[in-house]
Amino acid sequence: MRLNEDHSAFRDSVRRFVDTEVNPHVDAWEAAGRAPLHDLFPKAAALGLLGLEYSPEYGGEGADPSFQLVAAEEYGRMHAAGVGMALGVQAMMATPSLHDFGAAELKERYLRPAIAGTAVTAIAVTEPDTGSDVSRLRTRAVRDGDDWVITGRKVFITNGAQADWLCLLARTSDEGGYRGMSQIVVPTTDVQVARTFEKLGNRCSDTAELVLDEVRVPVANTIGAVGRGFQQQMRQFVTERMFAAYTTAGQCQYALDRTRSFVRERSVFGRPLAERQYVAFRLTELQAEVDLLRSHNLQACEALMAGEDITRMATVAKLKAGRLIREVADWCLQFHGGAGYLEETWTARMLRDVRLTSIGAGADEVMLQILARLDGLPA
């Protein structure tokens, strides 16, 4: 798949947004422990970034997935990865199920303000003792007349401290395992933020533990069919994993570009560092790996546009992206020498931020388990 002039023009507009509305502020946001999403999201929405693939009926752009690929790659140029992650949660993690399966009234009430950036959203799946094993989910929603009464805890919730509503996965029947779960839109009015977490990286992304103690929401807030929440969430995970791979390609490219500029200018023993063959070859090898990741991303995006199941392609992309970005970040820091280890140098923050890519949206080991099963192997 080849991108065209429309994609180039869109890329320019997203890059301006990153350069003017994000990068000048990220140091302050990192120090504060959160980006001001209620201020930032309307600016992103003005460019259509929060509803690129969504129906114009609810304020979306009606664009094909290739424009989301372009946007996510440009998020990789942000000087703090937590901001791009917050945008990704809003556009590609907390709202896809609502757009694809939600009733019209539910979309009008919750999806429209999310696309407009006037409401902040979060995806609430992970629990204190479940991690990637969604089958052990314990949060329960018990029906009482026309309401769900929800009790449980959710952890590691990105945007959780600022969210106006959650796309929450809960048990709605006594069936065990993967059965009997539903996705429910839960306004955060009665949801308690138990704490926010201090993290190794992505410090400007607020990450919260949420407590629901008999929180009442209408049964009409159920997304899609009752009992189909797990299946819908798995589809939403595929979207999330492709977002991670798209963003990673942008992060890698930006980091390699900056490092190539540095080694051309940095003189070591009387010669530019770039003239050292090992340095040149290592950066070239890494660039080749980034080229392959981006080609795979484009192929997956094209398959998605053709209506194909991209579960395998998204899993491969997420696995390889998480491992590649760790390698890129490590080598970029290495070639910056002692300065690369300082907080004032971009390489230190990048090294911390990108470590999450191999953990969030399913750890590497979960990706390998999925792929092994798809290959017919026990896992």
Side-chain angles (χ1 to χ4, degrees), residues 17 21-22 26 29-30 35 37 40-41 75 78-88 159 202 204-205 243:
F17 169 77
E21 302 295 344
V22 177
V26 293
W29 295 345
E30 286 273 294
L37 302 185
L40 181 65
F41 279 8
Y75 296 166
M78 291 179 177
H79 294 173
V83 184
M85 183 164 62
L87 289 163
N159 299 356
N202 292 278
C204 64
S205 169
F243 174 80

Side-chain angles (χ1 to χ4, degrees), residues 228-249:
R228 293 290 297 174
F230 175 79
Q231 292 79 4
Q232 293 170 190
Q233 183 56 54
M234 290 305 103
R235 177 170 164 173
Q236 199 162 246
F237 276 151
V238 170
T239 304
E240 180 177 352
R241 288 163 186 163
M242 285 313 307
F243 174 80
Y246 296 158
T247 305
T248 297

Side-chain angles (χ1 to χ4, degrees), residues 25 116 148 157 164 192 207 210 224 254 269 318 323 328 346:
H25 310 291
W148 292 119
I157 307 304
D164 297 295
Q192 177 187 353
T207 306
L210 306 178
Y254 187 53
F269 299 114
K318 168 66 167 57
R323 293 181 170 183
V328 168
W346 63 273

